[in-house]
Amino acid sequence: MEKVVKSANKEAEQIIEWGELHKIETCFDRAERLKPCPIGETGACCRICHIGPCRFVGRNAEEEARGVCGATLPTVASRNFLRMIAAGTAAHSDHARDMAFTLLAVASGEAKDFKITDVRKLYRVAGYLNIEFEGRPVNDVARDVAVRLIENFGRQKGEIDFLSRAPKKTQERWKKWGIVPRGIDREVCEAMHRTSIGVDHDPDHLLLHGLRTALADGWGGSMISTDITDILFGTPQPVKAEASFGIFKEDEVNLVVHGHEPTLAEIIVAVADEPEMIAYAVSKGAKGINLGGMCCTANEVLMRHGIPTAGGFTNQELGIMTGLVDAMTVDYQCIMPAIAELSKKFHTKIITTSEKAKMPGAIHIGFDEHRAKEIAREIIMLACDNYQNRKKEGSHITDKFPVIAGFSHEYIEYMQGGRWRASFRPLNDAIIAGRVRGAVGLAGCDNPRVPATGLHRFLAMELIKNDVLVLSTGCGSAACATVGYLTPEMALENAGPGLREVCEAIGIPPILHLGSCVDNSRILTIASAMAAEGGLSDEIAGMPAVGIAPEWMSEKAIAIGCYFAASGVPVIFGGESPVAASKEVTRIMTEVWFERFKGALHFEPDPEKILAMALDYIDKAREALKLKKYEPGKFGTEKVLMDMAARREIERAAKPHIGIY
Ligand code: NFS
């Protein structure tokens, strides 16, 4: 019998096989053993009150069937779905709240180990908020920005501030359909209220509130998080790094930062280079300290410092199974509780660091931004102490791949014309001419229910072959990084002729790593800039662009998919639909949303079909915009893209220092 591949990643599969040999269970084994509950999986189980749970199965599986209270299947499926959006929005936004309070603490001089790193970005954000910045002390501006952004969470009336960054027409659609989010917490709270027993029963109405809540995530929580992280730690620019399990070093202390909140990870990066820390590691017999990342905390420090990544969600257990991880800090989100138990079979210390997220079997060292360096040093020393306990066991892997990451929206703008002519004109022109067929945001988790990372890899490869520029984030980026896809050479070897030319001219990979999952908000900013640039659509809707999350599993991914749909982007998710039980809910999320917003949310498990659907959406959008029909290798004439040499020339002529926007 042919062996079932659990991960599409060769190195991951090697560790899984080693684990099987040593009787060590992973999420892949558990996924095989625990099949999804077929009732809950499709949205057909109502458990919001205790008369039930009511299950819509068998003779009760029709649209007009009713639970004990009389709720229909479409009501139940849309309520369940709205709760997923609310949870995803809460996760991104509570992270954003932490970032906003950190900014406030820094601006008030209470968190002395941090500073405002990117003043230019601070001013840009102050500008969006109509906060005066010229001639004022930086910390005063930062405090005003922090206070104002914090208000977005508890605002009761009015609008979330960053909605004004969307194209006017996009905003008008939101107004027309009554989905303008007021305050982030208000929308999440109202979602929970409306879905409790006996409140909102109209599927369309429930789902519209889902879109409003999701917009509070995309244009609220996520965008706030991205902007503040850039202000505090720097706006990313291209950086070279490495990915996969070979990043761990046999002769150094390996400390992994895992989770989503970059604040502690940033300070660990800062102090790990201190001579005292290195001397401490050496005193324990190691040659130095080697930092690595996992999931989105990895993406944050990869984007800004080139810290190597060991990969995404399904790699967290496998990383420990290399036997080389001396300590792993986990903050919050996407952390499998299994790692605490697993770590006992090795020498790895798991350290929880957030007061919001604890785990039996882990050590807790609560992070406090007021004593940041002290805590970071404590953690590093703990990892060093534990280096001596390293055992021989483990599936040591030496393979690693080069990565170019760090594509913030500011850098993407800059790379198309330099500091003085930064714009999206070249990209718009390349799309108009058919050199670039369109763009896809490839995002979301990796998943042990499919050959993990395989769907990301398949789609990334096929899309660039078809001249589609890929913007990747989150574990989608990690899936591509850990197989060497995030390099300029990828364009030379695999991209279609038009996309290859564009990538060569600018010197970029055809798959651009934009950051963590909150950084999907960067794609909203890019789409808005492309609309403002002209020549394509004058709103986000109607652009030759699609969002794909082929291996999603988190509620956060659902919130992301919905804010893209509400913003006008058709979105295709892999796997079974969580509303499959109701034809009506499926129709609303595809047809009705498309009529109103030109966005939609589909679920399609077959990757070939996902690809075909995405290309079809892109080609239809091109047709509607009356652009040249896409034909591989046949382009119209557009303005010559500014190449590296020309850009350097401009920089030289302008100023000796380079800022990216
Ligand atoms: Ni996004 Fe990042 Fe990964 Fe999925 Fe989890 S790490 S926030 S939710 S699993 S992409």
Side-chain angles (χ1 to χ4, degrees):
M1 205 177 87
E2 208 184 312
K3 189 159 175 359
V4 186
V5 175
K6 293 177 174 172
S7 171
N9 183 288
K10 186 164 70 60
E11 291 72 34
E13 188 66 14
Q14 255 172 274
I15 303 179
I16 295 166
E17 283 174 15
W18 180 91
E20 283 167 0
L21 220 62
H22 291 79
K23 305 223 170 329
I24 295 174
E25 191 183 68
T26 62
C27 62
F28 297 95
D29 305 304
R30 293 187 294 272
E32 226 171 59
R33 203 176 63 234
L34 293 162
K35 294 296 170 215
C37 160
I39 310 163
E41 186 185 29
T42 57
C45 174
C46 181
R47 40 174 294 275
I48 61 168
C49 83
H50 212 58
I51 313 171
C54 293
R55 306 181 309 161
F56 288 69
V57 287
R59 280 171 44 221
N60 206 26
E62 304 297 326
E63 297 277 307
E64 56 283 352
R66 298 194 175 256
V68 177
C69 72
T72 61
L73 184 48
T75 300
V76 168
S78 52
R79 268 197 312 220
N80 288 342
F81 194 72
L82 174 50
R83 285 204 167 187
M84 292 178 90
I85 298 172
T89 300
H92 285 146
S93 302
D94 204 39
H95 164 187
R97 188 196 327 269
D98 288 345
M99 297 309 300
F101 276 105
T102 300
L103 180 64
L104 184 61
V106 174
S108 314
E110 290 165 21
K112 299 240 180 288
D113 295 337
F114 297 98
K115 63 177 189 334
I116 309 293
T117 302
D118 194 338
V119 176
R120 197 185 282 269
K121 177 113 189 193
L122 171 70
Y123 290 169
R124 199 183 226 201
V125 175
Y128 297 140
L129 300 169
N130 293 321
I131 289 172
E132 193 56 57
F133 55 88
E134 304 240 19
R136 296 181 64 204
V138 169
N139 278 350
D140 287 1
V141 179
R143 194 166 43 241
D144 287 355
V145 165
V147 167
R148 176 71 169 276
L149 291 178
I150 288 166
E151 274 171 29
N152 278 266
F153 295 90
R155 185 166 297 149
Q156 303 303 321
K157 290 190 173 173
E159 295 181 9
I160 282 171
D161 285 311
F162 286 161
L163 295 178
S164 61
R165 288 161 67 172
K168 281 275 158 305
K169 275 199 174 175
T170 305
Q171 294 182 46
E172 278 159 21
R173 281 186 197 267
W174 296 336
K175 285 198 183 95
K176 178 173 175 197
W177 294 103
I179 58 166
V180 175
R182 297 150 294 188
I184 299 164
D185 295 351
R186 175 162 187 185
E187 305 315 343
V188 173
C189 180
E190 189 171 315
M192 297 309 287
H193 175 201
R194 285 211 208 176
T195 53
S196 63
I197 167 81
V199 185
D200 195 358
H201 299 118
D202 177 341
D204 184 32
H205 193 235
L206 282 157
L207 291 169
L208 278 172
H209 187 67
L211 294 182
R212 172 148 62 175
T213 309
L215 287 174
D217 176 356
W219 298 86
S222 287
M223 203 171 269
I224 290 172
S225 182
T226 294
D227 280 351
I228 294 180
T229 310
D230 286 352
I231 290 169
L232 284 172
F233 308 131
T235 301
Q237 312 189 37
V239 58
K240 237 176 138 172
E242 290 174 327
S244 194
F245 301 102
I247 64 160
F248 299 136
K249 298 193 175 151
E250 305 260 356
D251 52 3
E252 293 192 17
V253 174
N254 293 308
L255 170 58
V256 175
V257 289
H258 173 21
H260 286 75
E261 223 242 18
T263 315
L264 170 62
E266 276 284 330
I267 217 79
I268 288 179
V269 173
V271 301
D273 274 348
E274 289 176 349
E276 303 78 39
M277 287 295 108
I278 294 168
Y280 193 76
V282 170
S283 77
K284 302 293 171 184
K287 288 213 172 111
I289 299 162
N290 178 43
L291 300 181
M294 193 69 82
C295 286
C296 282
T297 301
N299 286 323
E300 301 279 4
V301 287
L302 168 68
M303 293 282 284
R304 294 188 179 83
H305 305 286
I307 299 297
T309 175
F313 182 67
T314 58
N315 276 13
Q316 55 190 292
E317 290 170 296
L318 309 183
I320 293 169
M321 287 161 66
T322 62
L324 295 173
V325 177
D326 300 304
M328 181 185 270
T329 63
V330 297
D331 45 75
Y332 44 51
Q333 299 176 17
C334 303
I335 293 144
M336 291 187 198
I339 59 172
E341 199 51 39
L342 176 70
S343 69
K344 291 185 194 149
K345 297 197 167 69
F346 299 85
H347 77 300
T348 309
K349 298 272 188 239
I350 305 288
I351 308 163
T352 53
T353 61
S354 166
E355 293 310 327
K356 295 174 192 170
K358 294 192 177 179
M359 185 158 49
I363 302 167
H364 185 73
I365 302 180
F367 180 63
D368 173 358
E369 65 220 9
H370 302 92
R371 312 188 286 117
K373 283 193 175 168
E374 191 189 320
I375 292 165
R377 289 189 194 110
E378 186 187 341
I379 289 170
I380 291 173
M381 287 165 79
L382 192 150
C384 293
D385 291 341
N386 199 32
Y387 174 79
Q388 296 170 314
N389 299 327
R390 217 188 262 180
K391 300 172 196 153
K392 287 251 172 324
E393 305 90 85
S395 172
H396 296 197
I397 297 277
T398 51
D399 296 306
K400 55 184 174 182
F401 298 88
V403 175
I404 305 288
F407 292 94
S408 54
H409 48 275
E410 286 87 349
Y411 189 84
I412 294 175
E413 197 176 16
Y414 161 79
M415 79 192 185
Q416 298 181 74
R419 179 168 175 182
W420 308 103
R421 280 207 255 157
S423 82
F424 277 86
R425 192 71 256 154
L427 180 58
N428 280 20
D429 286 343
I431 292 174
I432 292 165
R435 216 172 281 269
V436 172
R437 187 172 181 174
V440 159
L442 186 63
C445 329
D446 53 321
N447 194 317
R449 292 215 179 270
V450 292
T453 71
L455 271 54
H456 282 290
R457 284 169 52 177
F458 167 77
L459 286 161
M461 181 65 93
E462 291 306 314
L463 288 164
I464 64 166
K465 276 188 194 161
N466 278 284
D467 288 308
V468 174
L469 179 68
V470 175
L471 309 174
S472 80
T473 59
C475 293
S477 288
C480 292
T482 48
V483 76
Y485 279 13
L486 301 183
T487 61
E489 292 72 40
M490 245 330 246
L492 297 180
E493 289 157 18
N494 297 298
L499 179 62
R500 183 167 62 225
E501 229 176 76
V502 172
C503 291
E504 275 183 301
I506 315 181
I508 52 162
I511 305 166
L512 300 178
H513 187 341
L514 265 62
S516 63
C517 284
V518 290
D519 292 334
N520 281 307
S521 64
R522 296 191 198 276
I523 301 179
L524 298 176
T525 308
I526 291 170
S528 304
M530 288 171 74
E533 191 63 54
L536 294 170
S537 176
D538 55 359
E539 58 177 328
I540 297 175
M543 289 281 185
V546 173
I548 304 180
E551 300 185 34
W552 76 281
M553 59 86 199
S554 164
E555 292 161 317
K556 289 180 284 177
I558 291 290
I560 295 168
C562 289
Y563 71 64
F564 274 108
S567 301
V569 181
V571 177
I572 312 162
F573 273 38
E576 179 65 85
S577 163
V579 297
S582 168
K583 288 191 194 70
E584 175 59 5
V585 173
T586 305
R587 187 186 73 82
I588 295 169
M589 283 166 46
T590 50
E591 294 166 31
V592 177
W593 284 3
F594 194 78
E595 270 162 35
R596 293 173 184 166
F597 307 106
K598 289 200 191 162
L601 183 52
H602 299 268
F603 291 88
E604 172 52 64
D606 179 346
E608 304 263 3
K609 287 188 186 153
I610 295 177
L611 176 68
M613 234 165 140
L615 294 177
D616 189 51
Y617 263 124
I618 287 172
D619 289 343
K620 290 218 171 91
R622 293 187 66 88
E623 207 183 309
L625 292 169
K626 302 201 171 30
L627 302 182
K628 187 186 163 302
K629 191 170 184 317
Y630 165 79
E631 287 174 286
K634 292 189 187 157
F635 328 121
T637 45
E638 81 260 30
K639 259 196 322 202
V640 178
L641 282 161
M642 176 156 302
D643 64 11
M644 269 291 180
R647 193 159 73 231
R648 284 203 195 101
E649 207 37 60
I650 291 181
E651 303 299 348
R652 251 196 302 275
K655 265 191 179 172
H657 74 277
I658 294 191
I660 59 168
Y661 45 92

